[in-house]
Structure formats: structure tokens, C-alpha cells
Amino acid sequence: MTTPAMVFSETLDVLAGNRLAVAMHSGFEDPTNLALMTFADPAGATFYPGADLRGEAFPAPRRRRSGIDLSGVRRPGSDGQQLVVYRAARGSRTEASLSLLASLSAPYAAADE
């Protein structure tokens, strides 16, 4: 699986994530809230290279230039919960990095089962 996906609350608390999304965010001190990871954690500055984190957190043109497209889905009656799926452009360096991360985290997932 090379598609990280997470479910966030209305306040950006991380409610759930697949194995790859958890591995992708493992460098943060406390990966339980996306806003805190982005703005308060020292790893936030390196996780979003080139992003101006003083302004909008995820401006669409910068997201696309970095090779990641964040597709969010909100369902009526979901109490503000949002499913976010990270997609890398086909053939991009980001896609290769996600594939590598997936292969590296696979043995740990099998050991936990």
C-alpha cells in the first residue's frame, strides 16, 4: 500500500490512520494533532519544505508543486471528521519515497499483528 490516509477531527486531532500514514508522521514528537505537528513541532519545518507556515497551512499550488495532492472528503453527519488521502504524482520522487517507506514499515506491521 503506497497511499497514506488519515481521519481528522474538526480540530485536526488525528483519529485514525493507515500504517503508511502513521509511518509517514513518525518523526513528530506527538503525532496526535495536525496543527500542532505543522506549527509547534520542530519537525514541521522539514516535513513541509518550502512552505511558508506563517500563512496558510496548505496552499494548493504549493501542495501540487511538492508532488503531493491532499484529497479530503467530508460526509454530512460526520461531526466534522474528515478523511484525507495523500496521493503522489505518478513517477514522482514523492511516489518513490512513499513506496520505500511502505516497504520499510511493512515488517513492523506484520510483527504487530
Side-chain angles (χ1 to χ4, degrees):
M1 172 188 315
T2 58
T3 305
M6 298 181 92
V7 177
F8 298 102
S9 73
E10 196 170 47
T11 58
L12 299 178
D13 287 332
V14 177
L15 303 176
N18 66 8
R19 175 179 41 85
L20 188 53
V22 170
M24 190 170 88
H25 292 90
S26 65
F28 290 96
E29 290 176 16
D30 183 11
T32 60
N33 181 281
L34 184 61
L36 292 176
M37 289 188 298
T38 302
F39 298 106
D41 193 303
T46 58
F47 193 79
Y48 301 105
D52 179 4
L53 299 181
R54 294 167 296 182
E56 263 186 275
F58 307 106
R62 289 192 181 139
R63 277 195 321 239
R64 289 191 196 96
R65 270 186 262 145
S66 69
I68 296 178
D69 179 25
L70 299 177
S71 302
V73 177
R74 230 178 243 196
R75 293 187 53 187
S78 65
D79 296 326
Q81 294 178 6
Q82 185 172 11
L83 170 65
V84 176
V85 179
Y86 298 81
R87 294 183 319 155
R90 184 166 282 174
S92 69
R93 186 173 148 204
T94 302
E95 182 185 46
S97 296
L98 287 174
S99 293
L100 177 60
L101 182 60
S103 68
L104 293 173
S105 63
Y108 299 106
D112 290 341
E113 294 173 357

